[in-house]
Amino acid sequence: MLSMRHSHKQCTSVFNTGPISDQRRGNGLLTTAGLLNGIFGEGPDLHVARWESIKVTDRFEETDENEVTTIRERERFTQSLTLVYADGTTSILDERSREP
Amino acid sequence: MKNAHLRIGSLRFTKVLRDTTIDITLRMDRMIAEHAADNRSAQCHVLSVIGNDQEIAAIAAAIADEARFYATGPEINRLMITIGEGAEVFRSSINVPGRRRPLRHLVAISEELSKTRAGGNPSARRTILCDDDRAFLLYRISVRFGLPVLPEWSEWFGEMLERKNAIDPLIGIGCTPVVVKGTKKRFLGWMGHALKRGAITIPEHGQPTPWQVPISFSAGLQKTDDVAA
């Protein structure tokens, strides 16, 4: 008899109860796939959330000793969250709006 | 469904060369165009034509050359159109039973329309849409700008667009296109005010209803289908 494949063995799943919206590498897939869009909260915190993936361009300027300026531009994707609260408050949260 | 001659238009391309003249007329099942400022020609946003190998190749080359075409349709009387710079062209084959060779199908999209996808040109001031259904308008605008909206707000959004003169009809064959004028900030401001006034609400413990929007270029043939929220 063939042994059971490892992937089919019964195992106990352990779920991490940490905050799922913590910004880490890989969370972008969860957010931009639409899994965190919708209605959340209750009472004064009731809101509709919408995540999106946006492209940003980082611009670097370097000047060497001969006073030649080199401009480098690097494009990358980042996530942005738009919120609308039940009381009419709206906000757009992205890396530019992050507090220092 | 109407008979083909009542809903399909034609696209004519003419080019005079030194020793020959190219004159091609193709069947056109979809078109979206917008009158230019001079009102004599039109900027084309979508073009969908069917023909044989040589005809489609000639049209594709003409689009790359930013050539002018003449469009006629059920309610369009010979309109000069151009699709402009940066157009995207898609080609495929259609196998028809009884024909030895497949038909060729070409779809061309203007640069402006190609940027209406999610995240494309987020600071845009106008959005071209192929249907004037209110749920479709709100759904596509929310996808483009990343707006947090609910399907229940579709009627309110349609009324706001009309009240603020932010929607205009475009010239269409096989569809009812519109142009919606506004930025993400503008639409977000409308939503904030409407929630404050109570014109729209967020359901406290309920799930939003699924979107009921046309999922194809139906033009009223098969009107609605469910789209995952």
Side-chain angles (χ1 to χ4, degrees), chain B residues 134-209:
Chain B
R134 286 189 167 178
F136 180 78
L137 291 177
L138 183 59
Y139 178 73
R140 288 307 311 169
I141 291 288
S142 73
V143 168
R144 180 178 199 187
F145 293 118
L147 290 171
V149 297
L150 300 177
E152 294 89 339
W153 302 351
S154 303
E155 282 301 315
W156 161 81
F157 188 70
E159 286 167 14
M160 282 297 288
L161 288 174
E162 284 170 9
R163 197 184 308 159
K164 303 272 185 184
N165 284 329
I167 185 168
D168 283 325
L170 297 178
I171 306 161
I173 292 178
C175 56
T176 49
V178 290
V179 56
V180 174
K181 291 172 270 184
T183 58
K184 176 175 182 170
K185 276 190 174 176
R186 187 184 191 200
F187 296 135
L188 208 54
W190 288 2
M191 279 189 269
H193 283 297
L195 282 163
K196 266 183 203 163
R197 286 187 288 109
I200 53 174
T201 55
I202 301 172
E204 182 85 29
H205 294 294
Q207 289 292 317
T209 53

Side-chain angles (χ1 to χ4, degrees), chain B residues 46-49 63 88-92 105-109 217:
Chain B
V46 170
L47 202 65
S48 171
V49 288
I63 289 170
E88 292 184 11
V89 175
F90 305 91
R91 284 194 269 185
S92 70
H105 182 210
L106 178 144
V107 175
I109 295 173
F217 245 142

Side-chain angles (χ1 to χ4, degrees), chain A residues 43 48 50 52 82 84-85 87-88, chain B residues 145-146 148 184 192 195-196 204:
Chain A
V48 187
R50 175 79 185 216
E52 64 174 331
T82 309
V84 174
Y85 285 85
D87 64 357
Chain B
F145 293 118
K184 176 175 182 170
L195 282 163
K196 266 183 203 163
E204 182 85 29

Side-chain angles (χ1 to χ4, degrees), chain A residues 44-76:
Chain A
D45 288 333
L46 184 64
H47 65 276
V48 187
R50 175 79 185 216
W51 290 82
E52 64 174 331
S53 184
I54 53 170
K55 189 193 272 186
V56 293
T57 307
D58 296 329
R59 191 181 164 98
F60 307 98
E61 281 190 16
E62 293 170 4
T63 307
D64 60 12
E65 62 271 12
N66 298 325
E67 296 197 351
V68 176
T69 305
T70 309
I71 300 169
R72 290 192 175 86
E73 288 187 345
R74 188 184 299 154
E75 289 184 335
R76 62 188 170 83

Side-chain angles (χ1 to χ4, degrees), chain B residues 52-178:
Chain B
N52 63 31
D53 265 346
Q54 293 81 12
E55 290 167 341
I56 292 296
I59 295 294
I63 289 170
D65 272 355
E66 298 172 38
R68 290 175 177 178
F69 304 93
Y70 288 96
T72 50
E75 293 167 5
I76 300 164
N77 187 17
R78 195 175 154 82
L79 179 71
M80 187 169 72
I81 57 170
T82 176
I83 202 157
E85 198 180 345
E88 292 184 11
V89 175
F90 305 91
R91 284 194 269 185
S92 70
S93 300
I94 302 170
N95 286 307
V96 180
R99 281 182 69 109
R100 277 198 308 157
R101 293 172 187 275
L103 287 172
R104 303 289 182 195
H105 182 210
L106 178 144
V107 175
I109 295 173
S110 70
E111 188 179 18
E112 185 179 0
L113 187 65
S114 68
K115 287 182 178 171
T116 57
R117 65 183 183 276
N121 194 10
S123 59
R125 294 177 173 273
R126 2 179 290 151
T127 305
I128 290 150
L129 299 169
C130 64
D131 203 309
D132 59 357
D133 180 79
R134 286 189 167 178
F136 180 78
L137 291 177
L138 183 59
Y139 178 73
R140 288 307 311 169
I141 291 288
S142 73
V143 168
R144 180 178 199 187
F145 293 118
L147 290 171
V149 297
L150 300 177
E152 294 89 339
W153 302 351
S154 303
E155 282 301 315
W156 161 81
F157 188 70
E159 286 167 14
M160 282 297 288
L161 288 174
E162 284 170 9
R163 197 184 308 159
K164 303 272 185 184
N165 284 329
I167 185 168
D168 283 325
L170 297 178
I171 306 161
I173 292 178
C175 56
T176 49
V178 290

Side-chain angles (χ1 to χ4, degrees), chain B residues 27-56:
Chain B
R27 293 291 176 199
M28 179 162 61
D29 63 330
R30 300 280 188 269
M31 185 192 77
I32 296 176
E34 181 179 14
H35 276 299
D38 60 2
N39 221 11
R40 289 162 55 194
S41 60
Q43 158 74 38
C44 183
H45 293 292
V46 170
L47 202 65
S48 171
V49 288
I50 299 161
N52 63 31
D53 265 346
Q54 293 81 12
E55 290 167 341
I56 292 296

